[in-house]
Amino acid sequence: MKRLLLVGAGHANAQVLRSLADAPLPDVEVTVVTPNVLAPYSGMVPGWLSGAYDFSEICVDFGPLAAAAGATLVVGELRELAPDQHRATLANGVTLDYDVLSLNVGSTLNPPDLPGKLVLSLRPLGRLRQSWETLLAEIRNSPADSSFTVTAVGGGAAGVEALLGCLARLRALQPNRKIRGTLATRGKALLPGLAPGAVRAAHKTLANAGVTVLLDTEFNETIADTSDLILWATGAQAHDWQRNSGLALSDQGFIRIDEQLRSVSHPNVYAVGDCAEWDKPLPKAGVYAVRMGPFLVRNLRAALGDGSSEAYKPQRNFLVLLATGDHRAIASRGGWSAHGALLGRPLWHWKDHIDRKFLNRFVFSASPKVAPHSQTERILEGQQ
């Protein structure tokens, strides 16, 4: 009996479970570890922040998905990895042994500690729900006769989309309140990598939303003092456990992988998405985890004795549909862009269709079940 351990409820590991639901592997014991059974799909998070979706609409439910795949679901968080011993230790002390490991845990952020300030970190996504819902409750109960300033720190897509979404939601909650927006980035331009036309459209959208854009600006005390809510959306950071994992890492602490998505130091460990780093680093964007998914599926199956592996080759350009918080979107691919009063809403509906179609692949109605094996018994004992 071989043991496959999936750590993280990311877009690629979801595709692995979907594959196992369609075509189970005999004599393979599958365990999936996630801190949250409901795993938000990153592409729909801005729409949820703006109020366009309920939280349940943007999530993959890993309970029925794991059950359909015949996998044991463990609600927990990785604390320590011992790749030479083929063992993972969770925060609750449970240890899990594996023959093949797939890491799809995303990245994190370490915002500054600012006493008295509301700081909302946009990573990890699993913790964002509670923070945002707590904030909304506080806003509902706060006086509407004072101004309120929301500042996003970070000039990438996450910062732009989150700021526009938050402003839309807060203004809908308190339409008579003066709610301002600021975006600060140390970069010299917004949205690096997007088409020039899309960047211009984003600047116009931000201006129309009353947002002051501060380029080439480090976050500082003045910005903090003049902000009531700070959205922390700077560059992705590696989880602490990665730095002590024994895996080969990049200078930033991300797991170095080869063309088969394997750790360059431990070939029975696979890593995809934000937690991994290619020889030529890829942007930390959810689209790469989605695109890596089919290759991860094939290569994990090959590692477990089913078929042959395949090299992943990142595509040079990909479509970006930037949500603007008002049921509109800006499109960008390579040097091409689409936007404007006539196209904004159709682009949003296109984005909504693509995102829902992706999520619908993982919808199952079965309840989670526990397979009768010794490792499962240890898991349950650790959770009691």
Side-chain angles (χ1 to χ4, degrees):
M1 177 75 72
K2 292 184 178 179
R3 298 160 298 182
L4 170 62
L5 178 60
L6 308 176
V7 176
H11 311 331
N13 273 352
Q15 293 179 64
V16 173
L17 290 172
R18 172 76 239 199
S19 169
L20 293 170
D22 292 338
L25 288 173
D27 299 322
V28 175
E29 172 187 298
V30 184
T31 303
V32 56
V33 176
T34 172
N36 301 288
V37 177
L38 291 180
Y41 174 47
S42 59
M44 298 177 80
V45 167
W48 165 67
L49 290 172
S50 72
Y53 303 115
D54 291 331
F55 189 74
S56 60
E57 291 182 273
I58 72 165
C59 292
V60 175
D61 189 339
F62 268 70
L65 177 59
T72 301
L73 177 67
V74 180
V75 178
E77 199 161 0
L78 185 60
R79 183 185 68 191
E80 183 179 338
L81 190 65
D84 292 337
Q85 289 74 40
H86 301 180
R87 180 169 297 154
T89 302
L90 307 187
N92 62 3
V94 168
T95 59
L96 299 172
D97 298 320
Y98 62 84
D99 296 298
V100 179
L101 170 65
S102 173
L103 297 168
N104 188 196
V105 295
S107 57
T108 190
L109 292 173
N110 294 309
D113 183 19
L114 300 171
K117 292 292 179 179
L118 297 170
V119 181
L120 195 65
S121 176
L122 297 185
R123 288 188 174 98
L125 290 177
R127 297 175 187 168
L128 183 58
R129 179 188 186 183
Q130 183 176 354
S131 301
W132 180 233
E133 291 180 351
T134 299
L135 171 65
L136 291 179
E138 293 176 356
I139 293 292
R140 288 189 186 98
N141 297 321
S142 65
D145 56 358
S146 59
S147 63
F148 190 89
T149 299
V150 183
T151 296
V153 182
V160 172
E161 289 185 304
L163 178 57
L164 289 170
C166 288
L167 289 174
R169 185 72 176 278
L170 297 179
R171 286 166 177 167
L173 279 177
Q174 293 187 323
N176 297 320
R177 189 172 191 177
K178 191 170 185 179
I179 298 176
R180 303 187 179 98
T182 301
L183 190 150
T185 174
R186 61 186 179 185
K188 297 184 183 300
L190 285 185
L191 301 167
L194 265 63
V199 176
R200 290 192 296 270
H203 272 283
K204 183 178 179 180
T205 301
L206 289 165
N208 290 341
V211 174
T212 300
V213 176
L214 305 175
L215 300 176
D216 199 15
T217 302
E218 292 280 353
F219 182 73
N220 55 56
E221 187 175 343
T222 300
I223 294 174
D225 289 343
T226 55
S227 303
D228 297 291
L229 168 63
I230 298 166
L231 305 175
W232 201 259
T234 55
Q237 294 175 289
H239 296 279
D240 288 341
W241 63 262
Q242 290 177 221
R243 299 183 182 279
N244 301 310
S245 65
L247 299 172
L249 304 175
S250 69
D251 291 341
Q252 292 74 37
F254 298 109
I255 300 163
R256 292 178 53 218
I257 57 173
D258 64 15
E259 290 185 339
Q260 275 72 41
L261 309 177
R262 301 172 302 188
S263 161
V264 298
S265 59
H266 294 78
N268 67 327
V269 176
Y270 292 74
V272 293
D274 281 7
C275 71
E277 186 145 313
W278 200 256
D279 282 342
K280 296 179 180 178
L282 301 171
K284 301 298 183 184
V287 66
Y288 285 106
V290 172
R291 299 288 186 182
M292 287 176 175
F295 296 88
L296 178 66
V297 168
R298 181 162 183 171
N299 294 344
L300 286 178
R301 296 183 79 97
L304 294 164
D306 178 31
S308 58
S309 62
E310 182 177 359
Y312 167 71
K313 296 178 181 176
Q315 61 188 105
R316 184 175 180 181
N317 295 314
F318 57 88
L319 176 67
V320 174
L321 290 167
L322 195 76
T324 55
D326 55 358
H327 288 84
R328 292 181 172 84
I330 298 167
S332 175
R333 181 183 173 94
W336 170 86
S337 64
H339 44 82
L342 294 177
L343 291 175
R345 287 193 183 277
L347 288 170
W348 163 262
H349 289 301
W350 185 21
K351 172 177 171 56
D352 177 68
H353 171 75
I354 292 172
D355 292 342
R356 288 183 185 272
K357 183 178 179 181
F358 178 75
L359 280 187
N360 284 340
R361 296 171 55 192
F362 310 108
V363 175
F364 291 90
S365 59
S367 299
K369 60 184 179 181
V370 178
H373 55 71
S374 58
Q375 178 150 286
T376 298
E377 292 169 359
R378 293 208 319 276
I379 292 167
L380 294 177
E381 289 171 1
Q383 289 181 330
Q384 291 174 354

